[in-house]
Amino acid sequence: MKRLEVEILTLFPRMCEGYLGESILGKARESGLLVVRVTDIREHASGKHRVTDDAPYGGGGGMVMKPEPLTAAIEAARAQMPGARVLLTSPRGVPLSQRLAGELAEHGRVVIACGRYEGVDERVRTAVDMEVSAGDFVLTGGELAALCVVDAAARLIPGVLGNESSAASESFAPEPILEYPHYTRPPAFRGMEVPEILLSGDHRRVERWRRRESLRATRERRPDLFAGLDLNDEDRRLIEADDDEL
Ligand code: SAH
């Protein structure tokens, strides 16, 4: 049975525990498909006050996370989980993507170190395998980015999502295309009707409608992704097709 093992290194363990204890991820932990340890970096800080941050060399505001406690926490995590991929959260990192989430799920063992304050002493980088960014914005800490990594990877582990097909048809998987729109009951809401094809019971037409909507959404909203798609003749026909041509 495939499973995902994760250790999150943070100064604020409770921030992570709430999110990871609920809903799909909470159930995945109960069933053993997802194993998460959340470690307080402070446990690896020395001295009476277990200090984890200090003023930056060169001056300027804010505090910088000292290299020793975080490096010690990373080394302890590596010893506990041999072969783990070790990530450091950073706005300077590789942007998190569906592809990276898939690679981490496949690898199965991940350690994620969360920065705080002004950031982390540069020398900690030598202890990690890669830096990962949640996107081009600045957070107050790495915990949300770490949770994004865990969430996106865990739901790719077989059995974590109730319905095995749901991860396969979504935005970005298996090709970088946006998902088609979803509808549920009622059939009319505030004058807006569910597209008639979805009510038709004709599964092949539904598939073609969904493919067309995926292609159109990607062309309109993410021209950058659309430019990289490898469309076949049927795709080129579908994207221009009216409902009665589906
Ligand atoms: N001074 C830094 C920002 C520090 S924010 C800069 O300008 O680049 C403090 C910590 O939050 C970082 O060390 C990092 O661990 C985390 N963080 C902030 N934004 C992030 C992002 N977009 N992705 C991943 N981690 C982020």
Side-chain angles (χ1 to χ4, degrees), residues 3 32 60 103 153-155 169 184 203 216-217:
R3 64 179 190 170
E103 284 171 20
R155 65 197 293 290
S169 69
T184 186
H203 296 296
R216 285 184 176 175

Side-chain angles (χ1 to χ4, degrees), residues 65 88-92 113-120 132-143 145:
M65 282 175 69
L88 175 65
T89 56
S90 164
R92 297 168 66 193
C114 303
R116 275 268 145 190
Y117 315 121
E118 251 340 283
V120 175
V132 177
S133 167
D136 288 342
F137 44 82
V138 182
L139 300 164
T140 58
E143 288 76 11

Side-chain angles (χ1 to χ4, degrees), residues 119-138:
V120 175
D121 185 291
E122 184 70 7
R123 292 164 291 183
V124 172
R125 284 181 63 198
T126 59
V128 307
D129 299 318
M130 70 184 296
E131 291 172 86
V132 177
S133 167
D136 288 342
F137 44 82
V138 182

